[in-house]
Amino acid sequence: MRRVHGQRFHNPCDAHCRPAHTMKSLLILVCVAVAYSQVLEPCSPPPLWEARISRLNAARGFSERARLSYDAANRRVRGIAEVNIHEDKEYFDVLRLYNTEPGTEYRLNMKTKECEKRELTDVWRPFGVPPNSTFLGEDYIGTGGLPGAGVLVSLWSNEFEDGDKYFGIFTVEACLPFQEEHYSNRTGLESTTFFDVTGGISDPNVFIPPRECM
């Protein structure tokens, strides 16, 4: 019904158009909800991979380039790293084992051949999108306009209970890490970029401590 100059007139669309319009709106909402729920589901990186990484923390004057071997299932990670702190440059072979209680780190100075063994006080944090992260969308590294000239990635963010913040970029295909950023009041902003990621572990003995540490 509609009112004109105090009179009510019957609108022929009142009885028929509204249900159709309502059903169409509900269908659109359902489709949007389904699509939204699909993109919100974080992907899971391969459990075993190797890569070169570059890590930077400008506030601490710290940078690192490393060859990384990663085993999520057994909570193990090893890195052969060149570490720069201000003007000092060091080379380390670092093996971190979180599958023991407590966890153990073996840190071999590749110049002096001295090895330091210590207990790990931090908890295992796997590479990957943290639970309850916010999906920020998808974009291309490079371009999507030319075949083979870009990689489609998904973007994620999170803020943890202790106030630390996270931002991550992962490839849509295979969920390989491309970049991760962590910020905390203790350490400032630390950014890690991943290169030449390959699935699997090339050396099955890579997670055995160096002989200098035994």
Side-chain angles (χ1 to χ4, degrees):
M1 293 289 182
R2 56 190 176 93
R3 185 182 297 274
V4 178
H5 298 301
Q7 299 180 0
R8 293 175 63 85
F9 291 87
H10 178 72
N11 187 339
C13 193
D14 285 347
H16 303 288
C17 298
R18 285 180 181 174
H21 181 268
T22 302
M23 290 299 294
K24 184 182 293 186
S25 299
L26 287 175
L27 181 59
I28 293 174
L29 288 174
V30 169
C31 293
V32 170
V34 170
Y36 191 66
S37 65
Q38 288 175 343
V39 299
L40 276 182
E41 185 67 25
C43 63
S44 298
L48 295 168
W49 51 263
E50 294 180 318
R52 293 187 301 110
I53 69 166
S54 176
R55 182 175 289 127
L56 176 66
N57 187 316
R60 297 170 55 196
F62 168 86
S63 65
E64 175 187 26
R65 293 187 301 170
R67 174 68 180 174
L68 205 66
S69 299
Y70 174 76
D71 178 3
N74 295 295
R75 296 185 297 168
R76 306 180 295 183
V77 59
R78 186 169 186 172
I80 311 296
E82 174 190 293
V83 178
N84 298 275
I85 302 178
H86 300 295
E87 300 299 324
D88 297 327
K89 179 181 293 186
E90 296 288 349
Y91 298 87
F92 292 101
D93 179 354
V94 182
L95 174 63
R96 296 167 70 89
L97 304 174
Y98 291 88
N99 56 0
T100 60
E101 187 60 40
T104 306
E105 177 186 272
Y106 299 90
R107 180 177 292 266
L108 174 66
N109 187 313
M110 299 178 70
K111 285 184 178 179
T112 64
K113 300 302 180 182
E114 295 179 355
C115 183
E116 177 186 1
K117 178 182 177 181
R118 68 179 185 92
E119 294 183 359
L120 292 171
T121 57
D122 58 331
V123 298
W124 167 258
R125 270 192 179 182
F127 288 104
V129 183
N132 303 315
S133 291
T134 300
F135 176 71
L136 302 178
E138 295 179 348
D139 215 332
Y140 277 92
I141 303 296
T143 177
L146 296 174
V151 177
L152 184 62
V153 295
S154 59
L155 289 70
W156 302 85
S157 69
N158 204 329
E159 184 169 355
F160 304 105
E161 293 182 357
D162 57 4
D164 290 3
K165 296 179 176 61
Y166 169 87
F167 173 75
I169 303 176
F170 293 79
T171 62
V172 170
E173 183 177 353
C175 194
L176 301 176
F178 174 78
Q179 185 175 24
E180 287 193 325
E181 293 184 349
H182 294 85
Y183 175 82
S184 74
N185 293 327
R186 302 180 307 277
T187 61
L189 177 64
E190 187 168 285
S191 177
T192 304
T193 306
F194 301 80
F195 308 92
D196 298 333
V197 182
T198 58
I201 300 297
S202 58
D203 180 5
N205 297 318
V206 70
F207 298 111
I208 298 175
R211 63 177 181 273
E212 292 88 348
C213 300
M214 304 300 288

